[in-house]
Amino acid sequence: MPEPTNPFAQLPSLMQQVLNHEENIDVNMAIEQSNGLTAKQGDQMMGVIRKIILKVMKPAELVATIKQDIVLDDDRAKKLALDLLGRRFLPMEWYIGKVQPLIHELGGNVAEYLAEVKKLYPEVYAPAQAPTTVPSPTDTEHPLLRDFDQRVSSLKGKGEILLRLTGLSSQVEEAVKAEQLEPDAGERMMQELDAMSYAVNTQDLNPFEINSLKRKLRRILSQLSATAPPG
């Protein structure tokens, strides 16, 4: 059986660096909240973002696509489009096509958006100041997070991750039994780990979802580390 292909893995290296910023998740949430989107509409917004990144559609088609896919009226569609253009797509302009003229057309301030994204994505706007290679994992990084992005894109790698998630669940259970972790907290962590295992096992994850999983894992690992007795 052939391994599933991840279309995001075919993107240029610089695009992958932009997409792998953990801050993207916070930006997405802020855009959803400021535009009053429901959870379903938030998922639909992510679908629109994917279409732009994978060049299924052009930035100039954004307003019309939002109106069709998310079912927003003209004013709300334009506001959401402006937020996406300025806060998500501007640092991708070199790859996806012209964005700044569209921001102008929608009444946005390009200079303000540029000031924000230049801080978040120095590799795009100040490449000489940014690392030219991705730093290798430190010795202190948990094995579960090492090469996570690469492993989650193959069946073999997913199997390794699932085994480690099972082991992590056992650690949570042991911490609860040893009264190092409150039962309610342990139950929440177990539910999160179960949800992660299901996602890894059943979905072709994109960079947004992978970053979300990694952030949740870091939180759980940090909580478990805090409960461990001093050695």
Side-chain angles (χ1 to χ4, degrees):
M1 179 179 177
E3 295 183 355
T5 58
N6 181 354
F8 291 90
Q10 310 304 316
L11 293 172
S13 174
L14 184 55
M15 273 294 288
Q16 294 192 32
Q17 289 181 52
V18 171
L19 295 176
N20 284 334
H21 278 262
E22 290 191 0
E23 294 88 351
N24 292 336
I25 299 172
D26 296 327
V27 173
N28 290 339
M29 292 178 61
I31 292 174
E32 288 181 31
Q33 292 173 0
S34 66
N35 285 273
L37 302 184
T38 64
K40 180 180 179 180
Q41 288 173 324
D43 291 339
Q44 292 166 333
M45 183 189 81
M46 295 303 298
V48 172
I49 292 175
R50 293 185 188 100
K51 287 182 178 180
I52 290 285
I53 292 170
L54 298 177
K55 294 188 174 181
V56 175
M57 55 175 280
K58 299 177 181 179
E61 302 172 283
L62 189 56
V63 173
T65 302
I66 287 173
K67 291 169 69 174
Q68 176 180 309
D69 289 9
I70 310 180
V71 193
L72 297 181
D73 62 33
D74 192 62
D75 288 342
R76 292 188 67 195
K78 288 180 178 179
K79 181 182 181 304
L80 177 55
L82 181 58
D83 283 346
L84 290 174
L85 288 166
R87 304 189 66 186
R88 289 309 320 274
F89 299 140
L90 190 54
M92 307 176 194
E93 186 174 34
W94 58 273
Y95 179 71
I96 62 175
K98 293 295 183 181
V99 169
Q100 294 190 37
L102 300 175
I103 293 175
H104 280 301
E105 289 178 17
L106 292 172
N109 187 321
V110 173
E112 289 183 2
Y113 285 121
L114 276 173
E116 178 183 352
V117 297
K118 281 181 178 180
K119 294 177 182 178
L120 287 179
Y121 310 101
E123 61 269 46
V124 175
Y125 297 98
Q129 301 174 20
T132 56
T133 58
V134 178
S136 56
T138 64
D139 292 336
T140 57
E141 187 175 36
H142 192 279
L144 181 54
L145 290 168
R146 292 176 190 162
D147 301 318
F148 189 91
D149 298 51
Q150 290 76 24
R151 285 188 290 151
V152 81
S153 64
S154 72
L155 291 178
K156 180 181 177 181
K158 285 185 175 184
E160 295 173 353
I161 291 173
L162 290 170
L163 284 174
R164 292 188 181 277
L165 288 174
T166 300
L168 201 56
S169 296
S170 298
Q171 291 182 41
V172 173
E173 290 179 344
E174 291 301 320
V176 172
K177 289 178 182 178
E179 298 183 349
Q180 296 166 351
L181 191 64
E182 290 294 328
D184 288 348
E187 180 64 25
R188 287 193 298 271
M189 291 167 70
M190 291 291 290
Q191 290 175 354
E192 286 194 356
L193 289 168
D194 286 345
M196 291 181 209
S197 296
Y198 181 81
V200 169
N201 193 39
T202 62
Q203 299 177 29
D204 183 14
L205 300 168
N206 62 54
F208 309 111
E209 295 160 335
I210 290 172
N211 277 333
S212 178
L213 285 179
K214 287 163 63 178
R215 190 159 71 168
K216 290 175 182 177
L217 278 172
R218 287 192 180 99
R219 184 176 67 249
I220 289 176
L221 290 168
S222 176
Q223 290 173 328
L224 274 178
S225 177
T227 65

